[in-house]
Amino acid sequence: MATIIKGEKRGRPGKWLLDYRDHTGRRRWQTFDTKRAAEDALSIVLRESRSATRPSVDSQITFAAYSERWLKLVEPSLKTRSVVVYRQRLAHLLPVFGSLKVRTIDRGRVKKFLSEKATTHHPSTVRALRIILGAILDSAEDDGVIVHNPARKLPKQFRFAPNKRAQQEDCKAFTREQAQTFLAHCTTPFDRTYFLTGFRTGLRTGELIGLQWTDLDLHPDRRTARIERAVSDDGNSVDTPKSGFGRSIDLTPQLCDALRRWKTELQKRALASGEAFSPWVFPYQPGRGSRRPGYSGHLIPETMRGRFDRILKRAELAPHFHPHCMRHTYATLLLSDGVSPVYVQQQLGHASIQITVDRYGKWIRVAEKAADRLDDNAAPNTITVAGGSKTVAND
């Protein structure tokens, strides 16, 4: 039976004691400064006592030990890069929660941690920390270590959800004229083909570098590419795309012509050097002082960021642009031209249409008086679908 006792009875004047048995049957004592705090703790204890759950791990396990156990359980389903990111996020959590027993982590500690992080870190970082902390505590609840996850259903101010308007304003995209200016200042066939592919496909840098010739169908009647892999940021590993699975995308006639010319150029180089033809569409380009002598694999993302910046400077365009802006440009130009957001979502490989709309919503062109199409004898409507346009009757 759980009871609240005045501290004077146990030699603790001015304090309040909570005497109880936890949900594992062990007798516990907790000391509080006020009766209200002891009563709040008592309500939690009573909820725990009504739970029939018995922990599958040590009920006294620390957060540091449990988080490591949790990471080992989820690691097989994660990409190598994701494991690295999770460990980086845990580095924020462990100094605060690591030495605490999981069962002692309460809502107040969680809110204090998030509030302090919010003063020094970007909201997206704080949101990511809240999510991973919640995931670990969710697992602890499933294992019976705690009865309720204190990081669940936090007040709105602690969710740090990204502001849609701010997200769209932060999306820096080239105009069509700026993109043409950038490409005009690409002085080598390699640069022009690589960056043209970026602007015409909207691929992420890792996906663009991960393209192989067997992924492309450059036939004029088909013009498609299969996105099967992505190179990691450090260039040391190749994995599936961010979504976790491949997708097919459309290629433009201009891009197919450029890729055919580039393939011919690479074949000539391979024949002249006596080396095997590389399977990579954009193979590593060794230069003076190369850090990878004799290497003949894919490009390194860091190298292409440097090339992008040099061309940007040469073209006298705003320095706030970065390689990912090619992806933003692809999406915004299509949406501004009235293309269906669903088509753009499929091409970009977003997990849901919500991501596409949240990020690029202000560029979606809304047809004026579209309801007129519902009338009898209205003109047929042309819609954009994967593979081209299709005319449908309004009836």
Side-chain angles (χ1 to χ4, degrees):
M1 182 69 180
T3 58
I4 295 176
I5 306 171
K6 285 188 175 181
E8 287 82 353
K9 295 182 179 181
R10 295 291 187 272
R12 302 291 300 276
K15 303 290 183 179
W16 293 85
L17 306 179
L18 176 60
D19 178 8
Y20 68 99
R21 290 186 181 277
D22 65 19
H23 61 293
T24 67
R26 286 187 176 186
R27 190 173 185 180
R28 304 284 179 192
W29 292 87
Q30 289 188 42
T31 305
F32 301 92
D33 293 329
T34 64
K35 185 177 181 181
R36 176 62 182 273
E39 290 173 343
D40 289 343
L42 175 61
S43 66
I44 296 175
V45 167
L46 292 176
R47 284 202 305 269
E48 291 182 349
S49 66
R50 289 192 292 268
S51 172
T53 303
R54 289 294 179 267
S56 58
V57 296
D58 181 9
S59 63
Q60 304 303 307
I61 192 170
T62 64
F63 181 83
Y66 189 83
S67 61
E68 186 64 29
R69 179 181 185 274
W70 171 81
L71 188 57
K72 287 181 179 178
L73 286 174
V74 300
E75 189 171 350
S77 63
L78 299 176
K79 297 181 182 180
T80 304
R81 173 61 180 164
S82 297
V83 175
V84 173
V85 171
Y86 278 24
R87 290 202 175 277
Q88 290 172 344
R89 292 173 183 170
L90 283 175
H92 290 271
L93 300 173
L94 294 178
V96 179
F97 301 106
S99 61
L100 299 175
K101 295 175 182 177
V102 175
R103 61 187 302 278
T104 65
I105 298 175
D106 56 29
R107 207 168 179 78
R109 282 192 175 97
V110 172
K111 291 193 291 186
K112 181 182 177 183
F113 166 76
L114 294 174
S115 295
E116 291 175 349
K117 287 295 181 181
T119 63
T120 57
H121 292 74
H122 192 276
S124 62
T125 301
V126 184
R127 180 171 178 267
L129 295 177
R130 178 186 65 79
I131 290 173
I132 191 172
L133 176 60
I136 294 171
L137 295 178
D138 267 342
S139 178
E141 183 180 325
D142 290 340
D143 287 338
V145 179
I146 56 177
V147 175
H148 298 284
N149 178 356
R152 185 183 299 141
K153 293 184 179 178
L154 289 171
K156 188 175 181 179
Q157 65 266 32
F158 292 103
R159 297 174 192 169
F160 303 97
N163 182 284
K164 295 178 184 178
R165 182 172 180 180
Q167 190 177 9
Q168 292 175 14
E169 291 299 329
D170 192 48
C171 179
K172 301 176 180 65
F174 290 80
T175 63
R176 186 181 296 273
E177 292 72 22
Q178 287 173 328
Q180 291 170 345
T181 299
F182 182 95
L183 292 171
H185 284 80
C186 294
T187 56
T188 67
F190 169 82
D191 284 341
R192 177 163 179 78
T193 309
Y194 176 88
F195 290 113
L196 178 66
T197 305
F199 280 112
R200 294 292 187 272
T201 62
L203 296 179
R204 303 176 180 94
T205 297
E207 295 171 344
L208 181 54
I209 292 175
L211 281 176
Q212 294 188 356
W213 289 111
T214 53
D215 300 328
L216 308 182
D217 185 348
L218 303 179
H219 190 279
D221 294 335
R222 292 185 291 270
R223 296 185 281 105
T224 59
R226 183 68 186 168
I227 312 305
E228 293 282 5
R229 67 194 69 79
V231 176
S232 62
D233 289 343
D234 57 14
N236 292 329
S237 63
V238 179
D239 209 333
T240 56
K242 186 176 181 179
S243 60
F245 50 85
R247 68 183 186 280
S248 295
I249 65 169
D250 296 333
L251 303 178
T252 71
Q254 182 187 16
L255 177 57
C256 287
D257 291 341
L259 286 169
R260 279 191 288 266
R261 290 193 298 270
W262 174 238
K263 186 174 184 179
T264 300
E265 174 68 19
L266 289 179
Q267 289 171 332
K268 290 179 179 178
R269 293 182 187 181
L271 188 61
S273 64
E275 297 176 354
F277 179 70
S278 174
W280 302 97
V281 175
F282 301 108
Y284 182 67
Q285 303 284 299
R288 293 181 180 178
S290 173
R291 292 182 300 166
R292 298 188 175 188
Y295 176 75
S296 59
H298 55 71
L299 289 169
I300 305 171
E302 181 183 354
T303 303
M304 296 314 300
R305 281 191 284 270
R307 296 176 85 114
F308 180 93
D309 290 341
R310 287 192 292 274
I311 296 170
L312 195 69
K313 185 176 181 180
R314 195 158 60 233
E316 298 182 348
L317 293 170
H320 62 240
F321 289 118
H322 49 81
H324 202 70
C325 292
M326 295 189 291
R327 182 172 171 84
H328 295 328
T329 303
Y330 176 87
T332 57
L333 290 181
L334 286 179
L335 292 171
S336 298
D337 201 39
V339 174
S340 165
V342 175
Y343 177 79
V344 176
Q345 174 214 349
Q346 294 170 349
Q347 293 289 104
L348 293 177
H350 285 160
S352 70
I353 188 64
Q354 190 66 48
I355 297 174
T356 310
V357 174
D358 286 351
R359 189 161 301 167
Y360 304 113
K362 75 174 187 178
W363 285 278
I364 296 176
R365 195 179 73 186
V366 180
E368 296 183 3
K369 298 186 181 298
D372 291 353
R373 298 174 183 173
L374 299 174
D375 286 350
D376 295 337
N377 303 318
N381 180 29
T382 300
I383 60 174
T384 304
V385 296
S389 297
K390 180 180 180 180
T391 300
V392 294
N394 287 299
D395 59 353

